[in-house]
Amino acid sequence: MRESFQSKTGALLALVGSAVGLGNLWRFPYMTSQYGGALFIIIYLLFIIFFSIPLFTAETLIGRRAQTNACEAFNKLSHGKMRWAGSFGMIGCFLVTSYYCVVGGWCINYLFRSVANLLGRGGLSGIESLQTTFVTVSGSLPQWSESVQSVLFTLVFALTCGAIVIIGVKKGIETSCKWIMPILFLLIIFMAIRVMFLPGAMEGMAFLFRPDFSCINGKVVMAAMGQAFFSLSLGSMAVITYGSYMRRDDSIGQISTFTAFSDTIFAVIASVMIIPAVFAMGLEVSQGAGVSFISMPFVFSNIPGGPVLLILFFIGLLFASVSSEISMLESNVAYVMEKLKMSRKGATILVTLTASVFAVLCALSFGPLSHIKILDRNIFDLFDAATANIFFPVTGVLGTILIGWVMKKEHVVAELSRTSSPRPHKTTIKAFYVITKYIIPIMVTAIIINGLISQ
Ligand code: PHE
């Protein structure tokens, strides 16, 4: 019998912890700014409602039914026919596990800098000096010293998460999510309101909420879909893994819907907090990956207690990213443990060290390795785009094929209805079935092909 989450709330917190992370507070605002604002958000929301919620349900269902690691789940539930699908999914899972550490490293870096700012020159009132250093840290790292720092923080992040996974995931995640998520949530609401009063912010709000439908193209749709997968950890094996830890009678439909809603609310509020601030600062909206990090010190620079709030913000961001990284590591570790018959400790050390090597390459791709470009992208951007736009959606589609075409319908329905809460309505189950069996596989495949053509 596999270990399971201690309660329904525990499962919920773990899934929300996996979902809410840098995807919401870093990747979503950054993508929104690059892909035209309101239009991107609308397409993203459509994906969340029609694709992500059913798919999240499908993936937790696969995990809970199989009661194995995510790779083996494909093999087991398809009686060997889809073994390769699990292996494909594991590659995406490993890639995201490594490159995510770089952004996690940025969080630690900025946290240190905000503390240094408070204690040093800046004191409680000035963040200006901090802003200038921030601009050099993310996006481009011109000097060796910056690269060394980036590598160092990347490794600190990876090793810390590895250590937490060795100790055992569930308790730590459940406790930290219970406290940190609500605090981070309140903090970003507070900041979003604050940002609205900055001069120039309204232009940013218009960018966020006034769509320009003429800008729609294959690239935007693919990016929005990739983000809908990334943000909810779909197609990454993490949801299947956590699904396998879910208790027998917890309602997977309810938990999935709740997780998707919380994650989306986080993402939208994060954008309302970040994009108008970027406009108010007079920065280029499409200026790159560092957009969230650069704009935050500015928002805090002229409010009383700003430097302290900034520290709180980075602590929250760090915790959110740690709980997401842990869900990725855990998916790899569960696989290695069961496949190579290793102990949790041995498997975690192996996965963490291997992921760290790739993470360092990603970190260096902003500095000394920036000349290495594949398909016009540096290593970091390549890992990011390959996972979100290709590996996750393809694995997601394979999951829906497993549910819709390979597994017996009565097993799927039985798993959906196995709950101590009110059972899902017949029509809901029917809709779920039609979406997973036909709509997601067809649409997602079409979007991937179209997106690749228009690259
Ligand atoms: N969903 C996480 C986030 O938004 C990222 C993630 C991707 C986590 C894949 C697990 C697996 O930050």
Side-chain angles (χ1 to χ4, degrees):
M1 187 61 192
R2 276 166 84 76
E3 241 185 306
S4 61
F5 290 121
Q6 282 151 13
S7 60
K8 182 171 170 185
T9 327
L12 223 135
L13 289 172
L15 281 162
V16 173
S18 165
V20 175
L22 294 164
N24 309 61
L25 289 129
W26 161 70
R27 203 174 186 279
F28 184 69
Y30 152 50
M31 290 277 133
T32 306
S33 62
Q34 280 212 323
Y35 289 98
L39 178 68
F40 179 85
I41 298 187
I42 291 175
I43 303 174
Y44 172 79
L45 292 177
L46 291 175
F47 277 122
I48 292 286
I49 296 169
F50 293 107
F51 287 21
S52 301
I53 296 176
L55 194 54
F56 203 96
T57 311
E59 292 194 357
T60 39
L61 191 156
I62 292 175
R64 192 171 71 178
R65 179 100 199 151
Q67 293 292 302
T68 59
N69 68 72
C71 179
E72 177 57 24
F74 275 94
N75 186 26
K76 183 171 170 185
L77 298 183
S78 68
H79 302 289
K81 281 185 273 203
M82 290 185 76
R83 157 174 285 173
W84 55 274
S87 312
F88 179 84
M90 284 316 296
I91 301 175
C93 179
F94 180 76
L95 294 180
V96 74
T97 309
S98 36
Y99 101 85
Y100 203 83
C101 293
V102 178
V103 193
W106 292 350
C107 296
I108 305 181
N109 197 339
Y110 290 127
L111 178 59
F112 270 111
R113 286 172 189 238
S114 354
V115 173
N117 173 74
L118 177 65
L119 301 178
R121 276 183 292 169
L124 262 176
S125 55
I127 303 191
E128 255 101 289
S129 60
L130 196 64
Q131 277 172 35
T132 37
T133 30
F134 273 15
V135 178
T136 58
V137 177
S138 55
S140 69
L141 296 169
Q143 288 155 6
W144 261 102
S145 65
E146 298 284 7
S147 297
V148 171
Q149 258 185 41
S150 177
V151 167
L152 208 80
F153 285 120
T154 300
L155 290 176
V156 171
F157 182 82
L159 299 180
T160 311
C161 295
I164 301 175
V165 174
I166 291 184
I167 300 169
V169 194
K170 291 159 208 115
K171 220 161 171 185
I173 292 282
E174 287 172 32
T175 325
S176 82
C177 293
K178 194 146 109 201
W179 294 103
I180 303 287
M181 291 299 164
I183 296 177
L184 181 64
F185 187 63
L186 292 180
L187 203 61
I188 64 172
I189 292 190
F190 170 78
M191 283 161 64
I193 296 173
R194 163 76 191 117
V195 164
M196 278 183 222
F197 292 100
L198 291 173
M202 281 308 135
E203 222 182 300
M205 292 300 274
F207 177 76
L208 278 182
F209 293 108
R210 214 174 293 145
D212 177 1
F213 288 102
S214 64
C215 297
I216 195 159
N217 61 38
K219 260 189 188 171
V220 176
V221 176
M222 176 137 135
M225 181 181 77
Q227 179 58 23
F229 274 85
F230 187 94
S231 194
L232 277 170
S233 322
L234 291 168
S236 71
M237 309 305 236
V239 180
I240 301 185
T241 307
Y242 277 8
S244 77
Y245 300 144
M246 243 151 91
R247 295 183 319 160
R248 274 286 170 204
D249 56 351
D250 287 341
S251 161
I252 50 187
Q254 254 180 17
I255 293 185
S256 305
T257 313
F258 180 86
T259 310
F261 272 114
S262 348
D263 186 74
T264 310
I265 291 171
F266 255 100
V268 173
I269 298 179
S271 270
V272 171
M273 164 183 93
I274 288 159
I275 308 281
V278 172
F279 274 83
M281 279 169 81
L283 285 173
E284 243 331 288
V285 259
S286 57
Q287 70 140 270
V291 84
S292 313
F293 294 95
I294 296 166
S295 57
M296 279 308 103
F298 172 78
V299 176
F300 284 117
S301 60
N302 43 21
I303 45 175
V308 176
L309 290 178
L310 185 64
I311 293 174
L312 271 183
F313 172 75
F314 283 126
I315 293 178
L317 191 56
L318 184 59
F319 270 90
S321 52
V322 165
S323 53
S324 295
E325 174 68 20
I326 285 175
S327 70
M328 305 171 201
L329 274 175
E330 177 67 18
S331 311
N332 290 283
V333 168
Y335 168 67
V336 173
M337 272 168 74
E338 286 166 30
K339 180 96 184 163
L340 305 181
K341 309 256 175 308
M342 283 174 90
S343 66
R344 167 169 286 276
K345 194 169 167 186
T348 312
I349 293 175
L350 179 68
V351 171
T352 310
L353 293 185
T354 327
S356 299
V357 173
F358 285 85
V360 167
L361 290 179
C362 290
L364 291 177
S365 70
F366 290 108
L369 300 185
S370 57
H371 58 284
I372 302 181
K373 293 250 155 92
I374 303 165
L375 298 173
D376 213 23
R377 290 184 161 94
N378 67 21
I379 307 175
F380 176 94
D381 289 337
L382 186 73
F383 273 41
D384 178 67
T387 46
N389 297 349
I390 309 287
F391 278 97
F392 294 170
V394 172
T395 310
V397 167
L398 295 172
T400 56
I401 291 176
L402 176 64
I403 294 261
W405 298 90
V406 181
M407 280 172 72
K408 285 209 175 92
K409 189 170 178 181
E410 60 266 29
H411 290 165
V412 174
V413 176
E415 201 60 47
L416 277 176
S417 321
R418 196 196 304 274
T419 163
S420 48
S421 326
R423 290 180 173 202
H425 195 272
K426 264 198 192 129
T427 337
T428 316
I429 295 186
K430 220 177 206 162
F432 166 80
Y433 217 73
V434 172
I435 292 178
T436 39
K437 185 163 180 166
Y438 303 104
I439 301 185
I440 295 185
I442 296 173
M443 295 281 290
V444 173
T445 311
I447 293 167
I448 296 174
I449 294 172
N450 186 38
L452 286 178
I453 294 169
S454 54
Q455 281 296 304

